[in-house]
């Protein structure tokens, strides 16, 4: 997701709405909205202004920049404002360094450059749909843009047969056969958890798909990373995503060193908490980054984040008996070896491999 997609979405928006430029946009409501078509079009430009200013300034709270229109601005002029502010978003995305994050409220408080690009594309596609519906204009965006928005901002939504109808359904604007109509929706930027030396960077489905297929997911991996364990974790993430079972905050995280932006390993949950408020964690580290305490730092941080939630009481990890370094990571991160009874229960009720040892940390 990049400035190119923002440019494409803005071009589609203005080309679509230009067909109705001679209409009275103030007299017509956007489809399904209380706003008029003109208010909705101005909102697109306002959103672009917020996204560009936040990302360019690295703002960590709401950025006090307001957009106003000169008196007498007509519809054609408003489309020029959308083009200009859209270009600002695209430029901010292109010039932001990898990993830079700025304020956005949903749901974890920040977004990276790819997230802001996706937000801008989402804004353009959806509100063009709303305005076009009010004005009676034809509107059918590039399905690849809709698919990208879904993969970057709606990781909790099971993919549908076609991306554009799925995006409309996911945002309460349409129906999909076999699914209840959406009346309350949200979007997700990825969760990032800082440690002393790392950023635990949540991997989105768009990235996980590339990693599981042998790519590097747009991350600057140390050596020949990612490790096979991270690729396998991304495969499980994609299976969950494709069935609508993925919960973004309980997915896979890349371990990114703050000092140089290099990804050095992965840490993950093996799914969302179960009915007993129990979640399993796994981790791996690229060989060139081992021995410096990075894995312990990551596991401790992610475990403590989970245990601070209302839906988690227990975090477990399974380790091979001969993997002493991994056992030491678990111990340094506050885990203890499970009792014989606990391991028996894990074998019988959770299908834990009989060759593994169970480590536990509780709230």
């Amino acid at each position: 997701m990049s400035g190119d997609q923002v440019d494409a979405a803005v071009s589609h928006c203005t080309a679509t709405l230009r067909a109705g430029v001679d209409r009275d946009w103030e007299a017509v409501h956007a489809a399904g909205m209380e706003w008029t078509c003109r208010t909705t079009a101005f909102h697109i430009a306002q959103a672009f202004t917020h996204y560009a200013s936040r990302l360019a300034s690295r703002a960590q709270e709401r950025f006090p920049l307001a957009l106003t229109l000169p008196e007498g601005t007509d519809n054609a002029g408003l489309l020029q404002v959308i083009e200009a502010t859209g270009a600002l978003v695209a430029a901010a995305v292109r010039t932001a360094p990898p990993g830079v994050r700025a304020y956005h409220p949903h749901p974890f408080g920040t977004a990276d450059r790819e997230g802001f690009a996706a937000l801008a594309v989402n804004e353009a596609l959806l509100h063009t749909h709303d305005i076009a519906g009010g004005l009676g204009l034809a509107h059918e965006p590039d399905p690849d843009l809709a698919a990208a928005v879904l993969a970057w901002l709606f990781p909790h939504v099971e993919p549908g047969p076609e991306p554009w109808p799925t995006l409309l359904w996911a945002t309460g604007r349409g129906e999909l056969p076999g699914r209840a109509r959406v009346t309350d929706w949200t979007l997700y930027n990825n969760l990032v958890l800082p440690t002393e030396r790392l950023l635990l960077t949540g991997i989105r489905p768009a990235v996980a798909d590339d990693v599981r297929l042998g790519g590097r997911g747009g991350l600057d991996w140390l050596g020949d990373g990612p490790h096979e364990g991270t690729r396998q974790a991304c495969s499980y993430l994609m299976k969950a995503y494709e069935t609508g079972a993925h919960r973004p905050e309980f997915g896979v995280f890349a371990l990114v060193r703050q000092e140089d932006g290099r990804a050095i390993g992965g840490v993950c949950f093996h799914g969302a908490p179960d009915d007993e408020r129990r979640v399993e964690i796994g981790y791996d580290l690229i060989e060139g980054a081992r021995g410096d305490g990075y894995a312990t730092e990551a596991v401790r941080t992610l475990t403590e984040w989970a245990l601070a939630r209302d839906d988690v009481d227990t975090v477990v990890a399974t380790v091979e008996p001969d993997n002493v370094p991994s056992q030491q990571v678990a111990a340094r991160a506050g885990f203890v070896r499970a009792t014989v009874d606990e391991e028996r229960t894990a074998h019988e009720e959770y299908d834990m491999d009989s060759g593994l040892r169970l480590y536990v940390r509780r709230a």
Side-chain angles (χ1 to χ4, degrees), residues 47-96:
F48 288 169
T49 301
H50 293 321
Y51 298 156
S53 60
R54 290 173 188 169
L55 182 58
S57 69
R58 320 295 193 254
Q60 296 303 304
E61 57 186 18
R62 292 186 183 276
F63 194 80
L65 182 64
L67 177 68
T68 59
L69 294 177
E71 186 175 349
T73 301
D74 60 9
N75 294 338
L78 181 50
L79 290 182
Q80 285 184 305
V81 174
I82 290 175
E83 289 175 328
T85 53
L88 291 176
V89 179
V93 168
R94 291 188 175 106
T95 56

Side-chain angles (χ1 to χ4, degrees), residues 26-244:
E26 195 60 60
V28 179
H29 283 263
M33 302 186 70
E34 296 182 358
W35 291 347
T36 67
C37 290
R38 183 174 174 84
T39 299
T40 306
F42 182 52
H43 170 79
I44 296 173
Q46 286 178 309
F48 288 169
T49 301
H50 293 321
Y51 298 156
S53 60
R54 290 173 188 169
L55 182 58
S57 69
R58 320 295 193 254
Q60 296 303 304
E61 57 186 18
R62 292 186 183 276
F63 194 80
L65 182 64
L67 177 68
T68 59
L69 294 177
E71 186 175 349
T73 301
D74 60 9
N75 294 338
L78 181 50
L79 290 182
Q80 285 184 305
V81 174
I82 290 175
E83 289 175 328
T85 53
L88 291 176
V89 179
V93 168
R94 291 188 175 106
T95 56
V100 163
R101 301 186 73 84
Y103 173 78
H104 189 272
H106 299 301
F108 304 119
T110 62
D112 56 14
R113 62 183 185 180
E114 293 85 1
F116 277 107
L119 287 164
V121 173
N122 184 60
E123 201 79 32
L125 296 188
L126 294 179
H127 287 314
T128 300
H129 165 83
D130 301 333
I131 299 168
L135 297 175
L137 304 175
H139 175 238
E140 185 68 32
D142 182 345
D144 288 342
L145 289 177
V149 168
L150 287 167
W152 285 92
L153 295 181
F154 294 87
H156 55 299
V157 172
E158 179 182 355
E162 298 293 337
W164 176 234
T166 303
L167 182 58
L168 291 177
W169 170 81
T171 56
R173 289 170 167 83
E175 297 184 358
L176 280 184
R179 302 194 194 184
R181 189 174 182 89
V182 172
T183 57
D184 186 24
W185 62 275
T186 190
L187 49 78
Y188 279 81
N189 279 293
N190 62 331
L191 174 63
V192 174
L193 298 172
T195 75
E196 181 181 350
R197 297 175 295 167
L198 302 169
L199 292 175
L200 307 188
T201 303
I203 291 180
R204 302 170 170 100
V207 173
D209 195 35
D210 182 59
V211 170
R212 71 166 174 170
L213 296 175
R216 295 167 75 89
L219 294 164
D220 182 13
W221 289 90
L222 185 68
D224 60 355
H227 191 278
E228 185 57 36
T230 299
R231 295 194 188 279
Q232 186 176 49
C234 286
S235 294
Y236 294 146
L237 186 157
M238 288 304 299
K239 289 178 182 178
Y241 171 62
E242 290 162 356
T243 59

Side-chain angles (χ1 to χ4, degrees), residues 324 334 363:
V324 176

Side-chain angles (χ1 to χ4, degrees), residues 222-225 227 257 263-265 285-292 294:
L222 185 68
D224 60 355
H227 191 278
R257 286 195 304 217
I264 60 171
L285 206 62
I286 292 171
E287 187 172 354
R290 295 173 185 170
D292 289 322
Y294 288 121

